[in-house]
Amino acid sequence: MIIIDWISPDNHRNFNRAFFTSIKDLDITHIVFSEKLVIPEVKCIFLKSSSSRLGRAIHVLKLLWFYRKSHIILLTYDHLYLPLTLPFFLNLAVFEHNTTPERNSHLKAFWHKFLLIKIPRLAQFSGQYKRLKELSLDVHYVGSPIQLIENAEFKTAVSRDYVAPTISNNFSIIADKSKFFQGNNLVVKNNISELGEYTLKGIQFKEVDKIDIENHPFKGIIVSTNSEIRGSGWFNDAIARNIPVIILDKETEKVFNDTFPGYPFYRENELSRLEDHRITQNSQLNMSYIVSHNEKFKNRFLQAIYKI
């Protein structure tokens, strides 16, 4: 099987590690266009490629032709140029990330429904699956894998830092709930232009160039997708590192519950319980959940591949 990472950003590295660890028994070659996406969990081929969308699309088309007799999955794809792959639809499937059209995205929905109708999709989230079914597209729900960090020693949160990597999706909700975070910091990326408006509402922001979820002992991670269709890789990163997940809106809550059933998360009025999270959700229990979750992912993935 050939898996091509058409447009993955470098920060997809953890997702890729989770994905390939979950299906490690399969014979797979993974093609990437960034050295930072080369990982030890799978046989990787790094290829230099154009940074332009058209140039990269042409490169991918050449690879599809070269591997035309193999089973191919596009782990990420550029929906604008995906119609150029029409001749390869017989042995091609794509993995959905943020490519699924929202219900108010009529032009994108039209593009998918009428130009990309034949291509099989692998959906991470139930909302993606339902939306693509609404568009009468060929879609299979597989779920979203979690990175298994073996022998991990989870850091105890001694800082006063919560992290809000998706804050731009819903500033107003966090602003309304700011009283629950008083006396603590909210760590955010420093390229968010709207911060000034909300610092007046009592939120203490700590701006950083890069959110280092792997090494910083955050008290909790606040995630908002502002959508019932797409999820967030921050869910997976938090569970993998036993960082408490904080959810402040119903849409995100539904996505999380559907994708990671039974895993604990916290609403704003439950933040006092965070202090006990790393005791009750110990590393062994966390790893057991991840192993079970990824086994289900692998089974759904294999069933989908056999059907395609």
Side-chain angles (χ1 to χ4, degrees), residues 122-176:
L122 304 177
Q124 289 191 72
F125 309 107
S126 60
Q128 288 177 331
Y129 175 81
K130 292 173 185 176
R131 176 58 174 150
L132 293 169
K133 277 293 187 184
E134 288 175 6
L135 296 174
S136 302
L137 298 174
D138 182 5
V139 57
H140 308 265
Y141 175 72
V142 295
S144 187
I146 306 169
Q147 185 181 1
L148 180 63
I149 306 175
E150 296 188 28
N151 302 317
E153 293 185 8
F154 298 116
K155 296 176 175 60
T156 302
V158 295
S159 72
R160 296 186 300 113
D161 294 345
Y162 292 99
V163 60
T166 60
I167 190 171
S168 58
N169 285 337
N170 217 323
F171 271 99
S172 59
I173 286 182
I174 293 181
D176 290 342

Side-chain angles (χ1 to χ4, degrees), residues 100-103 125-131 134 224-231 249-256 258-259:
T100 303
E102 297 281 347
R103 287 189 172 82
F125 309 107
S126 60
Q128 288 177 331
Y129 175 81
K130 292 173 185 176
R131 176 58 174 150
E134 288 175 6
S224 176
T225 62
N226 199 26
S227 169
E228 61 182 25
I229 291 176
R230 68 178 185 274
D249 63 278
K250 295 297 183 183
E251 289 178 325
T252 305
E253 183 175 328
K254 176 170 174 48
V255 172
F256 187 85
D258 288 349
T259 312

Side-chain angles (χ1 to χ4, degrees), residues 291-305:
V291 169
S292 174
H293 176 88
N294 285 350
E295 187 63 30
K296 293 173 185 175
F297 169 83
K298 178 183 177 181
N299 291 337
R300 288 190 294 258
F301 178 82
L302 290 175
Q303 289 173 12
I305 294 303

Side-chain angles (χ1 to χ4, degrees), residues 213-265:
I213 197 170
E214 298 185 20
N215 299 302
H216 192 99
F218 291 113
K219 291 184 70 173
I221 180 169
I222 307 164
V223 184
S224 176
T225 62
N226 199 26
S227 169
E228 61 182 25
I229 291 176
R230 68 178 185 274
S232 170
W234 292 107
F235 289 149
N236 311 56
D237 283 340
I239 296 173
R241 291 160 182 81
N242 200 17
I243 299 173
V245 177
I246 302 166
I247 297 175
L248 305 178
D249 63 278
K250 295 297 183 183
E251 289 178 325
T252 305
E253 183 175 328
K254 176 170 174 48
V255 172
F256 187 85
N257 277 329
D258 288 349
T259 312
F260 307 106
Y263 195 86
F265 68 93

